[in-house]
Amino acid sequence: MDERLKNYLEELERRYIAEVRNFLEALQKDASPRELIAIRKNAKEIFNEIKNKSKLTDNESG
């Protein structure tokens, strides 16, 4: 795997974990549904990016 791609995936993973953490904290603080939806949307976009980039690495190795 290209080193730049590996670093990019690691950064996406850190961002995803941070968004999940934000979501859980917002749940504990009884955040508004609008806020929860926005956080979830961000996390989902990051997750999809990870999934798409991971497919690229799978195609290169297989």
Side-chain angles (χ1 to χ4, degrees):
M1 178 185 321
D2 180 24
E3 190 67 28
R4 290 186 328 209
L5 180 58
K6 180 181 173 190
N7 291 339
Y8 181 66
L9 285 170
E10 288 173 355
E11 177 60 27
L12 285 175
E13 181 180 6
R14 282 190 286 276
R15 287 177 44 207
Y16 178 73
I17 291 169
E19 285 297 327
V20 170
R21 195 172 294 131
N22 286 343
F23 185 82
L24 293 174
E25 288 172 2
L27 276 176
Q28 290 177 339
K29 295 177 183 177
D30 291 327
S32 70
R34 179 176 284 150
E35 184 178 350
L36 293 172
I37 289 168
I39 296 169
R40 182 179 174 270
K41 180 180 176 247
N42 290 340
K44 193 173 183 177
E45 287 173 358
I46 295 168
F47 180 78
N48 286 334
E49 181 73 12
I50 292 169
K51 192 166 59 170
N52 290 336
K53 294 296 182 186
S54 294
K55 285 180 185 176
L56 290 176
T57 62
D58 290 345
N59 290 339
E60 289 175 0
S61 63

